[in-house]
Amino acid sequence: MKPFDIELAKQGKPVCNGYGMDVRILCYDLKDDKYPIAGAITDPETNRETLQKYTLDGYVIGDGANNNGDLFMKPEKREGWVNVFINSCSGLKSTDRIYSTKAEALKNIDTKSPHYIDTVKIEWEE
């Protein structure tokens, strides 16, 4: 998982804990010198929230040791389209870039080329 980034979290980027449970940040200025972040952890089975305090670095325990209760940036799902080619010399399959839509990918390729294989959708997490 991506490390917790307080600036991204303040911008509204999704946050979770090491167990993958969603954490809704309630505030960053709780009157607690050691644990100023307050978050509500959502239990995926019951959809109920539990309150938890964190350090500014997102640690549930202030010693900086790794703990599954710590905050992380939640992976964001992405998708795009790629044109797949075959290299006539090596036989390796490759692509040149990721496009936002299939139409955009097809607009930038000669589908009649003997090196063109297909245009495919890909999905990944960042």
Side-chain angles (χ1 to χ4, degrees), residues 34-35 52-55 58-65 67 69-70:
K34 193 169 183 180
Y35 301 98
Q52 180 65 57
K53 296 190 301 184
Y54 303 92
T55 67
Y59 297 116
V60 72
I61 299 172
D63 62 6
N67 183 303
D70 294 343

Side-chain angles (χ1 to χ4, degrees), residues 93-108:
K93 294 162 184 66
S94 64
T95 185
D96 60 346
R97 65 173 281 208
I98 301 171
Y99 297 92
S100 300
T101 65
K102 185 174 185 178
E104 182 185 5
L106 289 171
K107 182 175 77 174
N108 290 290

Side-chain angles (χ1 to χ4, degrees), residues 1-2 74-79 123-126:
M1 288 202 202
K2 291 170 71 174
K74 187 171 181 176
E76 294 187 65
K77 295 185 181 204
R78 306 276 187 191
E79 66 180 39
E123 297 175 338
W124 70 97
E125 289 185 349
E126 290 183 350

Side-chain angles (χ1 to χ4, degrees), residues 4-124:
F4 177 69
D5 183 323
I6 192 168
E7 295 306 320
L8 291 177
K10 285 181 176 180
Q11 293 172 21
K13 297 289 183 183
V15 177
C16 64
N17 65 17
Y19 297 106
M21 301 167 96
D22 291 339
V23 178
R24 183 168 56 94
I25 302 296
L26 303 173
C27 71
Y28 299 93
D29 60 354
L30 194 66
K31 292 181 179 167
D32 184 325
D33 292 337
K34 193 169 183 180
Y35 301 98
I37 298 175
I41 304 166
T42 303
D43 182 324
E45 293 180 17
T46 64
N47 206 34
R48 293 184 63 187
E49 291 181 319
T50 304
L51 298 177
Q52 180 65 57
K53 296 190 301 184
Y54 303 92
T55 67
L56 287 174
D57 294 321
Y59 297 116
V60 72
I61 299 172
D63 62 6
N66 291 335
N67 183 303
N68 281 335
D70 294 343
L71 295 177
F72 294 89
M73 300 311 296
K74 187 171 181 176
E76 294 187 65
K77 295 185 181 204
R78 306 276 187 191
E79 66 180 39
W81 292 84
V82 295
N83 294 314
V84 182
F85 304 90
I86 190 160
N87 183 308
S88 57
C89 296
S90 67
L92 296 174
K93 294 162 184 66
S94 64
T95 185
D96 60 346
R97 65 173 281 208
I98 301 171
Y99 297 92
S100 300
T101 65
K102 185 174 185 178
E104 182 185 5
L106 289 171
K107 182 175 77 174
N108 290 290
I109 185 64
D110 175 9
T111 58
K112 296 186 185 346
S113 166
H115 304 291
Y116 170 74
I117 297 175
D118 199 3
T119 298
V120 296
K121 183 178 183 179
I122 60 170
E123 297 175 338
W124 70 97

